[in-house]
């Protein structure tokens, strides 16, 4: 479909907007004139069509923000974090809040410094994605103090029993289990795990699921399974380093803690003259947007980003409303756990040669 390129100040053409939003011109007219009788979802589609077509929204449709909400993420280089950020920001905007994205970088502001800056700007709440709450060595009292200052927050990826707040997580144990079972069904008898630092909750949970799956499929003890685990960095370089020792140990299948790590494993295999998947099968984790287009397309465990991000925003909005209603006691510690999905592509296959 070829979209028109109107002048930004041109009057919107009802026919173009109606076609883009897949509604009638009468519905578009009602939305643009601020009339009642249009479902909220339909109204959002019409406004989205305005944005896509390059029209400015009429002044009457620009609603006042309900407040600022901070989103603190560790980086933007791993594509799974921008994927989360986009959906969280869209969901916040749908509730009338203005998102403020804060990214940590090596040598840049720390999480505590970013939180301090957000509080200075009077944020209504904060979403933490893979932050210090996921690090078992970090002091969780920073979140207790944040709650005591009356700032609602929600935490994604990394449960901590010492923090009273809503948590949203994928089922990392189930993710590792389904990856191992997939490789075992393909005939792989020696499987390794390349995962991030052991101090992070998602890494520990994946290692737990991996060990359980090796016990179920091959009768390995926990100690035997742990010798197949390599804790390194959640990066291409980390996957490459882990693959070096796992390949030396004779692994024909490697489960990875992230898609970036899986790409590092593929690179390490090729540097040894090995073919993926003929000589080595590789399973990633996340299924970020471009992973289906790698060479070979990566088999991975899909993190349910849409559902997790939406649930996190919903939990935060509930916290904000309860605080506004005068609730004094801390929020109850709740973890919402979402089931991942195995997506089989070209990086895994049956054992061809040992």
């Amino acid at each position: 479909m070829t979209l028109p390129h109107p002048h930004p100040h041109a009057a919107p053409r009802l026919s173009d907007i109606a076609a883009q939003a897949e509604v009638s011109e009468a519905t578009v007219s009602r939305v643009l004139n601020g009339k009642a009788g249009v479902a909220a979802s339909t109204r959002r589609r019409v406004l989205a069509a305005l944005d896509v077509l390059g029209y400015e929204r009429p002044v009457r449709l620009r609603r006042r923000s309900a407040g600022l909400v901070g989103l603190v993420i560790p980086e933007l280089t791993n594509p799974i974090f921008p994927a989360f950020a986009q959906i969280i920001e869209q969901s916040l905007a749908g509730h009338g809040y203005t998102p403020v994205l804060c990214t940590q970088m090596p040598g840049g502001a720390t999480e505590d410094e970013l939180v301090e800056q957000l509080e200075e700007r009077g944020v209504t709440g904060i979403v933490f994605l893979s932050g210090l709450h996921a690090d078992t060595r970090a002091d969780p009292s920073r979140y207790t103090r944040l709650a005591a200052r009356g700032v609602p927050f929600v935490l994604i990826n990394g449960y901590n029993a010492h923090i009273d707040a809503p948590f949203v997580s994928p089922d990392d144990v189930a993710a590792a289990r389904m990856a191992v079972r997939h490789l075992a069904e393909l005939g792989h008898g020696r499987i390794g795990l390349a995962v991030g630092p052991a101090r992070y909750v998602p890494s520990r949970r994946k290692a737990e699921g991996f060990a359980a799956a090796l016990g179920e499929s091959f009768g390995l003890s926990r100690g035997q399974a742990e010798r197949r685990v390599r804790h390194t960095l959640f990066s291409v370089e980390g996957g490459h380093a882990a693959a070096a020792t796992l390949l030396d140990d004779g692994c024909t299948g490697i489960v990875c803690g992230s898609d970036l790590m899986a790409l590092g494993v593929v690179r390490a295999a090729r540097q040894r003259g090995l073919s993926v998947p003929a000589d080595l099968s590789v399973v990633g984790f996340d299924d970020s947007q471009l992973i289906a287009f790698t060479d070979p397309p990566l088999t991975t465990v899909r993190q349910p980003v849409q559902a997790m991000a939406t649930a996190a925003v919903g939990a935060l909005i509930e916290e904000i409303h309860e605080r506004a209603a005068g609730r004094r006691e801390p929020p109850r510690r709740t973890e919402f756990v979402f089931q991942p999905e195995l997506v089989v592509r070209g990086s895994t296959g049956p054992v061809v040669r040992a």
Side-chain angles (χ1 to χ4, degrees), residues 38 83 94 159 163 171 187 274 288 325 333 338 340 344:
V38 180
Y159 178 73
I163 302 172
D171 192 333
L274 302 177
S288 46
R333 186 187 311 116
F338 290 78
V344 179

Side-chain angles (χ1 to χ4, degrees), residues 11-12 29 50 54 69 118 143 173 191-192 205 234 244 249 259-260 284 288 291 310 318 329:
S29 177
L50 278 173
V69 171
L118 288 170
Y143 299 104
V173 173
I191 302 169
R205 287 179 166 181
F234 278 116
D249 287 347
D259 290 335
L260 292 184
S288 46
I291 288 303
T310 303
E318 184 177 347
E329 68 275 8

Side-chain angles (χ1 to χ4, degrees), residues 187-234:
H188 294 275
R190 195 162 186 85
I191 302 169
L193 174 67
V195 74
R199 69 178 189 270
Y200 293 116
V201 172
S203 297
R204 292 188 173 190
R205 287 179 166 181
K206 287 183 175 71
E208 178 187 336
F210 176 78
L214 288 189
E216 294 160 0
S217 298
F218 306 108
L220 269 64
S221 68
R222 187 173 188 86
Q224 290 172 316
E226 287 174 350
R227 286 195 286 274
R228 304 266 190 91
V229 178
R230 298 295 181 273
H231 288 285
T232 177
L233 300 176
F234 278 116

